[in-house]
Amino acid sequence: SGRICAMLAAPAGWRTLPLEKGPPLQNFIQRFGALFGAIAFIGVLVTLIIEGEPPDVSETSAEEILAHWVGQGDGAFFTVWLSVLIGLLLLFWGLWANSALRDRGATLLAPAAVVGTIFLAVGIGVDAASRVALLEAAEHISLESVVAISAILQYLYLPFLFGMFLITISVSATAKQTGLIPSWLAWVGYATALILVIPHEVSFLGFMVFLPWMLITGIIMFRKAGAAA
């Protein structure tokens, strides 16, 4: 029985994230916060499926861009509402990750996780506000304004790039110290961060890799943190 207890015990030097008595929301985030990132990016996939590909402003006429936004149905408003929930989930995941990394001794890089989610939330907020403007007022504003807002949506990738880079680096660089993700997933995170900072024709691949990486990372972190609690 002594050997079994030793096998079930947390590794030496492992500091767990205590579930102290506190406000219900705080306890809920401490217990399930690791999954918020995974859930958020499932939501991202849902929005991409519903919305489809918006018109390319460099290859589409102004009249076609206007027709696209005027012709959007209720599904477009649903994705805007969903994007707000996604942004909030990412922020709460960042708070959880910051606390989890700090609790395991990674005090320097821990804040990068929450700062990264702030960048993502800002990008999502600007994207959502721009979409609401186009969905509500495309018929009532000038054609040039519709094209300009559409261009902003198309090229609004820098906040997302900054956020994804900070998240992958903070979680991957502390993986050995925290034990929250395996080493192979940390190396995938490093590769994703490297791809993200290559000129945007290539960095788009980093966006595509980041989505499954975040999904897998969230699930593994939830299991690791739950087992150590």
Side-chain angles (χ1 to χ4, degrees), residues 21-56:
K21 289 184 177 180
L25 178 59
Q26 177 176 306
N27 292 336
F28 182 79
I29 293 173
Q30 284 184 332
R31 181 66 184 91
F32 299 103
L35 289 176
F36 288 177
I39 296 171
F41 282 96
I42 292 175
V44 170
L45 294 176
V46 171
T47 59
L48 292 175
I49 292 172
I50 295 175
E51 286 186 344
E53 188 70 21
D56 189 331

Side-chain angles (χ1 to χ4, degrees), residues 11-23:
W14 186 285
R15 298 175 60 198
T16 62
L17 189 65
L19 286 175
E20 300 175 352
K21 289 184 177 180

Side-chain angles (χ1 to χ4, degrees), residues 14 50 69 104 132 149 169:
W14 186 285
I50 295 175
W69 291 108
R104 291 162 175 81
V132 169
I149 298 174
I169 290 298

